[in-house]
Amino acid sequence: MRGFVNRTDEFEELNTVLVGEDGDPRVISVYVIAGTAGVGKTSLALRWAYQVQDRFPDGQLYINLRGYDPGEPVTAQEALHRFLVALGVRAHSVPQDPDAAAALYRSRLAGRRMLIVLDNAATAKQVRLLLPGSAGCLVVVTSRSRLSGLAVHDGAHRLTLGTLPEPEAVALLRAVTAGYRPEDDEEKLTELARLCARLPLALRIAAERAVSYPHMRLDDLIADLRDESALWDALSTGDDEEAGAVRTVFAWSYRALPEQAARLFRVLGLHPGPEFGLHAAAALAKLPPGRTRQLLDSLVGAHLLEQTAPDRYQFHDLLRAYAADQAQQEEPPEEREVALRRVLEWYLHTADAAQSWINPAEAWVELAPPTDGVRPLTFSDYNAAVDWSERDHTNLLQAIRSAASTGQDRLTWQLSAVLSNAQSPSAPVAGWLAVGRLGLAAAGRLGDRVAEGQLLTELGMGYTRINRLAESLECHRNSLAIWRELGNRLGEAHSLNLIGLAHLRTRRLDDAAGHFEQAAVAFREQDSAHWEATMLSNLASTHYHAGRLPEAADAVRRALAAHRSLDNQRGEGNVLRLMSELQRERGEVEEALKSAQAALDIALALRHNRLEGFWLITLGNAQQAGSRFADALDSYHRSATLHRRLGDRSREALAWHGVGETYRHLDRHTEAADFHRQAAAVHHELGDAWNEALALDGLGAALLDEDLEAAHRHWTEALGLLSGYDDPRAVAVRDRIGLRMTETG
């Protein structure tokens, strides 16, 4: 525990909160440790958490919320994702909606006795969704702010920290330097502590500096620190004394670095994200990775940087701000611009390499060769590419924002377009949509019509995935106009296909088929076998939804052969999903189960949560048809959870409908009605008349024995919604509902 802050009084106050006068453990909801920069809030919280871990038998959760980081703070949604994974929820099953994630988090904590440490919070809003919903857990929040809202609205207790008392400040210096230097004079240590304003962060860095020079007299070290104080005074903008002391010690430690290490430190302040890898740092500094690693090790040794994993590093937020300030002060503007451009290019070309594994068939961006000093990563296989994309997803989003904020329009649109196809298949689309719009605006400023067409295409696909279908169609129609204006037949084919998919989602089946057929002709002209096979799959899906099963079966057979000849696993999985639905409707239940499971295995191998969620519904349908009701419920629930995280409310509601159907088969009619009711409400909100009608049909069937009048009312409403459809499947559904109403009087 070397270097921990010794705050005896505050430590005892925390224990008093935890343990009542009778000595029995008790738990309150939240405790806020507030104080200014560098006062040791984190150190106190972690030391206390370590010593009381036995009082929380179900474990502890910790997160740095980066509330005062120069970059983006950790959102409540991101924190919930990490906590839920730590609590045993699979990453792809964490809901995307913050309220849904918070509800799952609270249910996981119910009945548990855990300590939750929320470090470096900026606002009460950042914390509130992370609070448990019931007694049994204690939350300790550290912040530079008082977070009064938590005290007023959430019953938080507050402990405000000042600087360390002088004896404890000296004791901290002794604890860090013990065994590394001859014992220093008490008076000199006291003077050093005063120069550090008795702030724990400054004290630890100063002590490590003293350890680095074990034979230098403390008088000389103090003189150096005074010089650095004078240096900082020349640069200071009048911040308060405590923050000035922290910066003084930063400067003292920074000035002791060799020149190459000092330069790396300051250019790392330009990095767009809070954490970074070795090769991104090498690009910033324009150094070989081996030399960069040596310099990073020296920064870690000087406590100016923290190593979080092999070849992964991060700043304390204050140190990152100081590094960025030093870059502004010491690096010429053109050098800063070139360094930032190098790291942005590194992310661009590395993401491009990742796309070659993750989405090789999607549109490519023509990139100029990397500039000197940019050595992008390459990947040996699909999983390596996905691993990197998952790890650096936040940095990639931040890179686009950084490019946009610095006026680098070409990099902004290229990064946006490449990331759309290089991001992890498990990444929620909402994060990309925001930077995708930045890319589109940048392309517009450049007057680059090809770039605009490509970004509109990607934005349209993103909007489809979260059921914003009007916006999706607008994007695809605008991109179609651009491709026709440019005479780009391949781009035109892609837009026709995507407009067809939007129509398929809204069950405008004739419009969908017409667009797929036009796209198939264009793809054939371009000799694009991959997309020809995809058009066959989409036409098969259209025939299936219309109830034209012989035509669907013929298209499925041909599409499956085409995808397998191209070794297109994703396309093969989609056709297997359709095949399973056809087999189920023909009564071939075992074959349907095998096809659905084979499709799901492909989605799992691809780590593709969107496909996994959708194909789980097909598996659930086959399991339900085979009277494997427990398995079906599990599949539907897994699907709903995945779609909730991905923001696809339509498919989440489809999974709920499956749950309702399964409960009805189990004669659990109340539960069946609840799920059908939820599904109908969502489909109504989304304007999906077809699926709302199916949910109302299920709701009527679930209520039949309990409330015949309500059942008929829901069936009548369903028939009204179905009146606009005239395909064979719609006719069959209407006939079935009409017959039920006749038979039940």
Side-chain angles (χ1 to χ4, degrees), residues 75 102 130 212 331 378 414 441 579 593 642 667 711:
T75 64
L130 305 176
S212 301
E331 292 290 313
T378 58
Q414 288 181 338
M579 180 178 286
L593 282 165
L642 280 169
D667 292 327

Side-chain angles (χ1 to χ4, degrees), residues 16-309:
T16 300
V17 169
L18 180 69
V19 182
E21 292 181 2
D22 56 2
D24 291 333
R26 60 185 175 88
V27 179
I28 62 171
S29 58
V30 60
Y31 205 100
V32 178
I33 305 177
T36 55
V39 298
K41 305 174 292 295
T42 299
S43 180
L44 173 65
L46 293 181
R47 178 174 175 239
W48 181 76
Y50 176 78
Q51 295 198 15
V52 300
Q53 58 186 319
D54 60 316
R55 301 180 186 179
F56 297 93
D58 295 313
Q60 301 184 7
L61 297 172
Y62 169 86
I63 191 166
N64 180 0
L65 294 172
R66 301 184 180 280
Y68 295 88
D69 193 277
E72 294 290 320
V74 175
T75 64
Q77 172 65 14
E78 291 173 299
L80 285 166
H81 187 278
R82 297 183 202 177
F83 279 176
L84 284 166
V85 170
L87 290 167
V89 178
R90 293 192 303 169
H92 58 257
S93 298
V94 177
Q96 181 177 347
D97 177 69
D99 291 331
L104 179 59
Y105 167 70
R106 287 166 183 153
S107 71
R108 285 284 174 145
L109 289 177
R112 297 193 187 192
R113 192 171 177 82
M114 298 189 73
L115 174 64
I116 299 116
V117 179
L118 307 177
D119 189 20
N120 201 16
T123 64
K125 180 180 178 182
Q126 198 181 14
V127 167
R128 192 159 278 123
L129 287 180
L130 305 176
L131 301 182
S134 56
C137 296
L138 174 65
V139 180
V140 175
V141 184
T142 73
S143 179
R144 296 183 207 170
S145 302
R146 292 171 61 82
L147 301 185
S148 300
L150 291 181
V152 173
H153 299 292
D154 302 281
H157 294 239
R158 192 163 53 213
L159 172 62
T160 302
L161 299 186
T163 59
L164 283 175
E166 195 167 274
E168 294 188 7
V170 172
L172 175 58
L173 289 172
R174 285 203 186 279
V176 177
T177 59
Y180 295 91
R181 295 175 53 84
E183 186 166 339
D184 290 302
D185 180 74
E186 181 88 9
E187 184 178 334
K188 300 299 180 185
L189 287 172
T190 300
E191 186 174 359
L192 180 58
R194 288 171 181 167
L195 281 171
C196 294
R198 305 196 309 276
L199 294 164
L201 179 60
L203 287 164
R204 282 198 300 271
I205 292 175
E208 292 292 348
R209 174 85 181 275
V211 166
S212 301
Y213 297 93
H215 302 298
M216 182 180 284
R217 295 185 311 142
L218 208 55
D219 279 334
D220 295 330
L221 291 171
I222 289 170
D224 284 349
L225 182 54
R226 284 201 178 105
D227 287 344
E228 297 301 343
S229 180
L231 169 67
W232 184 258
D233 287 343
L235 302 174
S236 178
T237 56
D239 289 326
D240 62 56
E241 179 182 350
E242 291 177 352
V246 172
R247 290 191 295 268
T248 295
V249 176
F250 289 172
W252 186 47
S253 191
Y254 166 67
R255 297 297 172 190
L257 294 171
E259 173 49 35
Q260 267 200 321
R263 179 177 176 276
L264 176 61
F265 174 80
R266 59 182 179 262
V267 298
L268 285 172
L270 304 174
H271 185 269
E275 186 185 35
F276 51 87
L278 165 67
H279 293 86
L284 267 169
K286 198 180 177 181
L287 291 171
R291 178 58 179 154
T292 305
R293 183 184 283 109
Q294 293 173 342
L295 296 174
L296 289 167
D297 287 345
S298 69
L299 295 177
V300 171
H303 291 264
L304 294 174
L305 204 61
E306 179 185 357
Q307 186 166 4
T308 58

Side-chain angles (χ1 to χ4, degrees), residues 277-352:
L278 165 67
H279 293 86
L284 267 169
K286 198 180 177 181
L287 291 171
R291 178 58 179 154
T292 305
R293 183 184 283 109
Q294 293 173 342
L295 296 174
L296 289 167
D297 287 345
S298 69
L299 295 177
V300 171
H303 291 264
L304 294 174
L305 204 61
E306 179 185 357
Q307 186 166 4
T308 58
D311 289 343
R312 299 291 294 183
Y313 305 86
Q314 69 177 13
F315 277 118
H316 184 285
D317 58 352
L318 291 175
L319 282 162
R320 186 178 175 207
Y322 179 73
D325 184 78
Q326 293 310 113
Q328 292 291 322
Q329 296 288 341
E330 299 187 38
E331 292 290 313
E334 61 274 12
E335 290 296 325
R336 294 198 304 270
E337 182 180 334
V338 169
L340 177 61
R341 184 174 183 85
R342 273 196 308 270
V343 78
L344 295 180
E345 280 196 31
W346 183 86
Y347 278 113
L348 174 64
H349 285 275
T350 301
D352 184 65

